[in-house]
């Protein structure tokens, strides 16, 4: 987690104890801790104080990285990111532990705000294993869907760690995983981003049907037909949506005139 050239700051959401040593080891002068639960913020503040004392006695002033971090409370999906990130130099890095019930919306929010790596350079996230599986899934697999496609368009994704329940105290009932997203400009020309998103999400509502059938409801909202879009895009309409690559979906999105 050493800061890359030109990356000076870190944005942290949902900080847990593991994030403090990471920030201490990173060459970043400032950070922001944002959490929806005020109890967690109070807990992290107590831990930061403890870590500051520990690191002050063993390694000098290294914890200055974490010590002055402002801590803000609120729903990440409702905050003004521009205002939150105003004190930091762009791009920033994200470290987060995402709750299962809102992990997908937060992922989509991060992808939308990353601006091709200009706002967020990367995100290291702890997720429930099932969400991580969907995020790194490849075409043809049962986990492949809208999340993998929309994330893969603008990020390189790596699974870093698999964490069993025994890695936590008390142990949860689910397995977890840590993934890293490195944001970049879109890997394919998609035309209008909203069109691409509507098509990807729409066809996976009927993922077990052939593309020619799954695409029809979405195509109708654009005033065209699935057959016409498939013909313009030059893709195979007999396959299921989960068999299409990101490039295939980009061609379909561009076919919407």
């Amino acid at each position: 987690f050493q800061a890359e050239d030109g990356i000076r700051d870190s944005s942290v959401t949902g900080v847990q104890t593991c994030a403090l040593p990471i920030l201490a080891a990173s060459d970043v002068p400032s950070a922001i801790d944002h959490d929806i639960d005020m109890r967690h913020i109070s807990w992290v503040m107590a831990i930061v104080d403890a870590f500051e004392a520990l690191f002050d006695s063993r390694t000098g002033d290294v914890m200055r990285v974490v010590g002055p971090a402002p801590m803000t409370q609120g729903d990440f999906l409702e905050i003004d990111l521009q205002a939150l990130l105003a004190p930091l130099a762009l791009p920033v890095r994200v470290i987060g532990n995402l709750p299962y019930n809102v992990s997908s919306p937060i992922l989509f929010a991060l992808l939308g705000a990353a601006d091709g790596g200009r706002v967020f350079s990367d995100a290291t996230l702890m997720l429930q294993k099932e969400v991580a599986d969907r995020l790194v899934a490849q075409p043809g697999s049962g986990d492949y869907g809208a999340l993998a496609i929309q994330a893969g368009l603008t990020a390189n994704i790596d699974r870093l760690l698999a964490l069993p329940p025994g890695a936590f105290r008390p142990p949860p009932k689910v397995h977890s995983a840590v993934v890293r997203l490195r944001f970049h400009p879109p890997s394919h020309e998609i035309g209008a981003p909203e069109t691409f998103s509507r098509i990807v999400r729409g066809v996976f509502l009927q993922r077990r049907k052939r593309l020619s059938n799954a695409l029809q409801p979405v195509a109708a909202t654009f005033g065209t037909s699935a057959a016409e879009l498939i013909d313009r895009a030059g893709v195979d309409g007999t396959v299921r949506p989960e068999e299409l690559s990101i490039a295939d979906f980009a061609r379909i999105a561009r076919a919407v005139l």
Side-chain angles (χ1 to χ4, degrees), residues 179-192:
V179 299
R180 179 171 57 212
L181 293 82
R182 292 173 173 164
F183 301 108
H184 57 68
S187 55
H188 302 279
E189 175 56 48
I190 61 171

Side-chain angles (χ1 to χ4, degrees), residues 1 25 34 46 53 83-84 86 99 107 146 158 165 171 173 179 202-203 210 232 247:
F1 297 103
H34 183 82
L84 180 69
L107 283 167
D158 298 300
K173 296 180 180 180
V179 299
V203 298
R210 291 182 176 186
R232 289 178 193 164

Side-chain angles (χ1 to χ4, degrees), residues 211-223:
L211 177 64
S212 57
N213 294 323
L215 182 59
Q216 183 54 43
V218 188
T221 67
F222 294 111

Side-chain angles (χ1 to χ4, degrees), residues 68-174:
M71 298 187 181
T72 61
Q73 187 267 337
D75 187 336
F76 182 80
L77 296 173
E78 297 179 359
I79 60 172
D80 181 344
L81 271 179
Q82 186 174 1
L84 180 69
L85 300 179
L88 306 178
L90 302 180
V92 300
R93 316 186 76 174
V94 179
I95 303 171
N97 180 7
L98 306 189
Y100 175 72
N101 62 326
V102 293
S103 55
S104 290
I106 290 177
L107 283 167
F108 282 121
L110 290 173
L111 290 164
D115 193 18
R118 289 180 286 271
V119 174
F120 296 137
S121 62
D122 58 76
T124 301
L125 307 171
M126 183 180 294
L127 306 164
Q128 189 163 329
K129 178 181 179 297
E130 287 77 6
V131 178
D133 290 342
R134 289 164 46 210
L135 193 59
V136 302
Q138 297 299 309
S141 68
D143 291 319
Y144 184 69
L147 182 59
I149 293 165
Q150 294 190 260
L153 178 69
T154 56
N156 295 326
I157 308 164
D158 298 300
R159 188 196 302 265
L160 304 181
L161 292 172
L163 298 166
F168 304 90
R169 295 292 183 272
K173 296 180 180 180
V174 298

